[in-house]
Amino acid sequence: MTPYEALLQPFVDFEFMRRALVGVFALALGAGPLGVFLMLRRMSLTGDAMSHAILPGAALGFLVAGLNLAAMTIGGLVVGLMVAVGAGVVARATELKEDASLAAFYLISLALGVVIVSARGSNLDLLHVLFGTVLGIDDATLLLIAAITTVTLIALAVIWRPLVLDCVDPTFLSSVSRVGGASHIAFLSLVVLNLVGGFHALGTLLAVGLMMLPAATARFFARDLTLLVALAMLIAFGSGAAGLLVSYHFGTPSGPSIILVAGLAYGLAVLFGPAGGLVSRLAPRRHLEA
Amino acid sequence: MAPLISFENLTLGYERHPAVHHLTGEVREGTLLAICGPNGAGKSTLLKGITGVLAPLGGHIVRHGFDVHDIAYLPQGAEVDRSFPIDVYDLVSMGLWRRAGLFGGIGRADRARIAAALAEVGLEGFERRPIGTLSGGQLQRVLFARLVLQDARLILLDEPFTALDATTMTELLELVRRWHREGRTVLAVLHDFDLVRAVFPETLLLARRAVAWGPTAEALSPEKLKDAQHMGLAWRDDAAPCETAA
């Protein structure tokens, strides 16, 4: 097999591959920076919880309208935001910390989702909701993902400063401004929005993979925030493209293939990453004079 | 000088237990005030009350002509996440928040101010150092540079010199003196009485209530300090609701 056949021909020959490529590109642009902030705010598992939380919304949409893009999107969005805001309100208004209240909300939400899915629909439909169909992305889905990414990038630019400051020094932020709470809610909404965009391509369970794995991988290469975000986008897109090719050549399911490639990149980074990877720790270079 | 903050029969506390009890008095503009007292006397609580983080259980704090967000506040053992990938320059420049806000650019004049603030705390050459690589004293210098940039009328410092070496303390203290000369109002929670006597003209000796408030020599007299030592500071579960007129 020539490099052309291995790397380019699948995209040249098949429209569904091109659509999938554009889809993962758009997803990578939004998911990359969100993943970096989730990681830096020690909320890596929050994305995972949120991805479970949107299931009943998507399932409700599915129950009402079948495999309908708009219904499942709106359902996922509404329930995801309810869980995010509900958990945030419980955390701020009561003694319970945010992680515990989020765990409570998403578990209830997940159980509800499975009950709803099994009320109608065969196992095949459930698989579709859980694992997505990146190779079956149509124009409407592509537009939806692109729109979500656009909104995400603009919103991130708006809340960038409070977001950074809320991570580094929350007491200082609240001493100079009251935008901290609002920017936190806006950030969580963006996470939900991107997970909903991602679940059409990767499914509810794996959408979060394109957020967290590239972010964690980038941490082993960069100590600067801007660089981290750019790298996370790049790694997410690279994993998407490579995952599609793996899926094409070996007939593996596309969503999990993408996440596995991202996982491979993560594994290599853990071992060989220059910024705190295992090898750089075990075999350090000679120290400097000053 | 006109009053900047007035406490009117102020009670601050947690879960109905008072930490500052029936405090009345005022801080005039331009005051350099030390707040002293044993651990648990309500010193940090009072600062949190002034910043508005903690709402009074009773009484009032009147802020004359300024907003809680105009205060430059350095909390005790500031909760900076030192693993966050940000460098000294960017952290210090956050001091311009009130001026730049969400979108305001940082122009040439601002960059000069940032450079001057870094020079003032002796951190030239540290601009691009990630904050995770700083020592405790260096981080405290960074936070002072940020206070300088905040350019606030009222500055609150909660144990700002704890665990600093003599040089760092002397240099940061010089900054506090300069703020005082510039007419800013500075309130600092401190435990080092010698330092307070040497630098701070006025002292509030707190032991839940104000034991003394006035010229430092009088407020930190042996009798007053003894009084402060013997104030009971423990919470009592069987404490009755306070009947003092609100």
Side-chain angles (χ1 to χ4, degrees), chain B residues 3-241:
Chain B
L4 188 66
I5 316 167
S6 307
F7 307 117
E8 295 169 359
N9 202 10
L10 173 71
T11 296
L12 293 161
Y14 308 91
E15 296 172 32
R16 295 176 66 212
H17 294 281
V20 173
H21 210 183
H22 298 299
L23 179 68
T24 295
E26 61 184 34
V27 179
R28 291 171 313 286
E29 177 124 42
T31 305
L32 178 55
L33 176 71
I35 302 173
C36 299
N39 291 128
K43 306 180 296 296
S44 301
T45 305
L46 181 60
L47 294 194
K48 284 181 195 159
I50 297 172
T51 62
V53 172
L54 201 62
L57 296 179
H60 301 278
I61 299 177
V62 184
R63 302 177 189 86
H64 299 278
F66 69 96
D67 179 80
V68 287
H69 293 138
D70 295 327
I71 302 170
Y73 170 47
L74 181 64
Q76 185 180 7
E79 313 160 13
V80 175
D81 176 1
R82 296 172 66 171
S83 68
F84 194 89
I86 188 170
D87 61 29
V88 166
Y89 191 90
D90 287 348
L91 185 62
V92 168
S93 63
M94 302 286 190
L96 295 169
W97 179 281
R98 294 296 285 167
R99 171 188 299 253
L102 281 177
F103 307 113
I106 292 187
R108 185 188 300 244
D110 291 323
R111 283 199 293 276
R113 287 155 47 96
I114 295 170
L118 282 170
E120 234 169 324
V121 298
L123 284 181
E124 300 111 320
F126 281 73
E127 291 81 0
R128 293 299 160 208
R129 280 273 296 270
I131 57 169
T133 65
L134 299 176
S135 74
Q138 287 164 343
L139 183 65
Q140 197 70 351
R141 286 170 186 259
V142 168
L143 297 178
F144 264 77
R146 190 171 68 182
L147 290 173
V148 169
L149 283 180
Q150 282 187 267
D151 191 22
R153 272 166 80 194
L154 174 60
I155 300 166
L156 308 179
L157 307 170
D158 199 346
E159 300 199 20
F161 306 128
T162 306
L164 297 184
D165 66 22
T167 319
T168 307
M169 195 176 95
T170 311
E171 290 181 25
L172 296 184
L173 200 56
E174 189 44 47
L175 213 51
V176 173
R177 286 183 209 239
R178 206 201 68 203
W179 287 334
H180 181 51
R181 285 197 299 274
E182 289 170 349
R184 301 177 202 274
T185 310
V186 182
L187 274 59
V189 172
L190 292 165
H191 283 296
D192 182 345
F193 294 147
D194 292 333
L195 173 80
V196 172
R197 288 192 184 100
V199 178
F200 289 75
E202 199 180 314
T203 297
L204 164 61
L205 182 60
L206 203 61
R208 192 176 292 170
R209 62 177 182 83
V211 176
W213 188 349
T216 297
E218 292 166 33
L220 293 185
S221 66
E223 307 85 71
K224 298 286 186 192
L225 286 175
K226 209 168 158 192
D227 282 356
Q229 288 286 319
H230 291 101
M231 289 286 298
L233 294 177
W235 283 5
R236 292 202 328 269
D237 287 333
D238 60 345

Side-chain angles (χ1 to χ4, degrees), chain A residues 176-212:
Chain A
V176 292
S177 163
R178 53 173 68 84
V179 298
S183 76
H184 182 68
I185 299 272
F187 172 70
L188 280 181
S189 309
L190 288 180
V191 172
V192 172
L193 202 59
N194 277 266
L195 289 174
V196 170
F199 89 68
H200 294 296
L202 301 168
T204 53
L205 295 185
L206 290 180
V208 70
L210 211 52
M211 264 180 207
M212 297 324 305

Side-chain angles (χ1 to χ4, degrees), chain A residues 78-92:
Chain A
V78 168
V79 173
L81 290 177
M82 270 166 52
V83 169
V85 172
V89 166
V90 169
R92 268 153 220 254

